[in-house]
Every structure is written in C-alpha cells, then in structure tokens.
Amino acid sequence: MLRYLSPARAGPSSRPRSDDPQLSLHVPNYGVVFLPQPEVGDNKPRHDHMLHGELEVTLNAPKRAKSIRVGLRSKIKLDLGPGRRAEETILFERSVEIVSSTADGVWLAAGTQRFDYTIIMPSNLAPHDQHSNGIVYHDLYAEVEGLPSPEEWKAPRSQGSSSSLFGLRGKRSPSAANSKSVSRAASPNRKGGKSGASTPLTPGAQAHPAALSAALSNLASAAAALLAPTPPPRLDRAPSYDDSQRPKEAANGEWLQGTFKTKRSIMLIYNPNPGDGANELHDRASGYVPGLGVWELVLVSDVFTICALLQIKINLASLMPATTVFAVRVLLAQTHSITSPRDPDSQKLTGTKHFVILEQGKRPPAGHLHPDKHYIALWRGPLAGGKDKVDGESGGSVKIDTKARLPNDNVSRPSTLPGVVTPINVSHALVLEVFFSVWGEDDKGQAMKVPGPGGLRMLRVSRPVVLPSVR
C-alpha cells in the first residue's frame, strides 16, 4: 500500500551525460514518515524524529568532489485570493554535509558507493497537505558539488594591460596604443639602424614628434611593468598520507565540474493513537425532535482512517402518522483554515467541503418549501397521504443498517492534531441530516392556518471526529 501512496522516486532533473554522477536517495517505507502525536505543553520534552537513509552515487570514472550534501526542505505555496499575491515560503530546512579536511576534496571511486545520513526532524513539523488555495510539501534533496563549471568561469576579458599608471583596469593605455602605431612609422625601412630604434635627442636639435612619442611610450611601459604585482612562486605540495594510501588512478583523478542534484518527495503522517496502533471509531448519539420523534445514530469503524469502511446505523423509532421522511444522509464535513506564515495577524482563509457518505431517499429540490405527496419519500404516514404503517402508540419507524466508505486521500485530508505547527489547520465532523415534514405544520412546527403539506424541516447532528491519514 505504501508503494502506491509514496511520491515519485528520486531521479535526475535532466538527461545526464555518460560521465556525470548518478544520484539516488533511499529512505525507508517508500518515503512515508510516520510520526506520533506531538506532546502538548511547554514543560514536556520533545522527541524529534531521526530520518535515516542512504545516498547512492554511481560514477563511470574516479572523480573528486568538494562536498556532498543531503537535506530536507519543507515549503508552502499559498494563493491568498484577489488583492494579495501568491506566496511561497520555506517552513523548515536542515541538511548534513560531508566536506574533505584537505584540499584534495572528497574522493569518489568508480562504480557505486553509498553514504548514510541522518536528519533530525522536529516532532511538530507540518505534514504534507493540499487544498485548492494552499499546499505543503517536503523535498529530500542531495547535492554533489565539484569545481565551478567552465560556464561559471567565463567572464568578459579585459583588453590591453591589466594595470596602468592611472590605476585603471581593463582599459588599454593610450601610450601603449601610440607605441604600437609609432613603432611601425619610425622604421619604414631597415636602413640606418635597427628596426624600432628611437632617435636620440641632442641639445639644440628639434626632436621629431614620432620619436618623442615612441620614447614616452617606452617609459610608460617600463613604469607599468615596475608597478605590476609579482605573483609569488608556486610551490608543489608535499604528498600526504592519504596520497600514499590512495590507488594509483587517484593521482590522475579529475575534479567534477559543476554541481549535481537530485530530490524526492517525503510524506509526513501523524498517528493520534498514543500506542502507535490502529485507530478505531465507536460513536453513538441519540435525541428527540418534535415532529420526528426519537432518533439514534451509531458509527463504528475498526480501522478509522481516510478511505475507511464505516458501519452506519440510523433508527427513527417513533414517527407520527402525519410525518413524512424524504431523505436521510450522512456527510463528512472537512473544514480548513489557512494563515499566511509571513503575516500571522492577517485574516484567515477558511473553507468547508462536504462529502456524501450515505444517502437514502431524495431531498426535495431547492425552492420547494411545502413538498406534497407527489415527491418521493423514504417514509410517509397515513395522515400525510402515505401507506406506511404505524404501530399503535410507538408510531412508525425507519431503520438503516449499512456500510459506506469514506473519501480517499486524493480529495480529503487528515485532521490536524494538537501540537502540530502548520499554516493549514484541518478539522472534520460526521454529520447526520434528516429531511422531513409534518402535515398541517410549517417549518417551525407551528400549526398552519390552512392545513396542507407541511413545511420542509431538517434535523442536523454534527459529531466531531479526528480523521487520521492512511496507515
């Protein structure tokens, strides 16, 4: 069952190259994490959950990596309606990392190797949840970080000298540019001296403009060379003990280029049973309503969860001859309230869904306030134009004993347990509804001036329940 409920397994986000590492995350129970109900109260200790698992790394050739990281991230996405933008907030994030103690990095041999990890999860972390305007989800992710890829090293290259007399970087020195152009003009032929030689200046003689420019450019180049910092000589590192123990192919091992990632979804399920066993439901309610008489409701489920099989018993034991029962149904009412984690004082968004679990008979259409005998009824007494029998003073009766199934995890959500910290709170109730009327009485039970079909009434009984998730 867990295999079908679990999220998709981890996989690469894009098609990998043949020399890229293949990452795979393994967790118990197909990624479903079971948590007990959190302890309520400031003085009680918190028993945080230890999430254990394995990261599998597969390589075709030995490589080095800077670090290996595994983490858990919880997020919430909200649609807060008109006038407010959508929100995406990180509720929780924690990671563990393997970092090499030397500059050699983490050595990854060719083949498949596994790394164990343990992440401490808070005992009151928000469970996964989804509604029309909000979703909470958890991602378990892994990252293997190598050296920056060549794309990350790319940057606009500066032209000309990297430093100048005026402290400017990335620009060509005007004197250097003149020097290049003048050197060609000063030696149009190879006669009379070496190519590129400047004409000496003598007292009383007028200097040629080209020669003067060449002299100044040489002076500027010499000054720039003197001011440029000289890098220190690079010394080879002495071999370490790890180098001597490493296989020979490690010496020529290449670094991974870039960061490789994978992730998978994690489902958090809380169990309200203190004994960590299955949850049961045994609920009984009864009462008396004028015009309907005595009613009784019994709800039983040996394993009470979402999508559970529910046994329902309904007994209307003292129906009057003038009473008509049109329909009886049982609903699951699910109410959720959403609070923005960025603005806790803002107005909460609330909504309620009703799921019909059992329905016998048919409710009269909306707008028909005084349905007559032409409408289908589950039970109609003789004074209301029906043929159902009435047994003396005890009256008539309607008995229902059947089984029905609750909605599945795709449409309904588990109840939020006390102590769980989450922006989305969910509560449930099982609701009994009985639609009936009494001949000659309005919907408030008062006698009508002109006797006729009675006003439509409804008995509504709500029984709060804690609905656990599938276990």
Side-chain angles (χ1 to χ4, degrees), residues 30-100:
Y30 300 97
V32 180
V33 180
F34 296 103
L35 299 174
Q37 179 173 345
E39 296 177 339
V40 181
D42 299 334
N43 298 327
K44 294 184 178 181
R46 291 178 54 185
H47 299 286
D48 290 338
H49 181 78
M50 311 290 283
L51 177 62
H52 303 283
E54 254 184 7
L55 170 63
E56 182 179 292
V57 182
T58 304
L59 285 167
N60 294 330
K63 297 287 184 179
R64 305 171 189 261
K66 292 175 61 178
S67 64
I68 300 175
R69 189 180 305 108
V70 178
L72 178 67
R73 184 185 298 116
S74 302
K75 281 187 176 183
I76 181 172
K77 292 183 179 180
L78 296 178
D79 181 6
L80 302 176
R84 300 183 65 180
R85 294 183 299 177
E87 293 183 3
E88 182 174 359
T89 307
I90 296 178
L91 301 177
F92 170 81
E93 184 170 12
R94 181 171 292 167
S95 63
V96 293
E97 189 172 9
I98 301 175
V99 182
S100 175

Side-chain angles (χ1 to χ4, degrees), residues 439-441 447-454:
W439 178 269
E441 297 181 1
M448 301 170 60
K449 295 181 179 179
V450 178

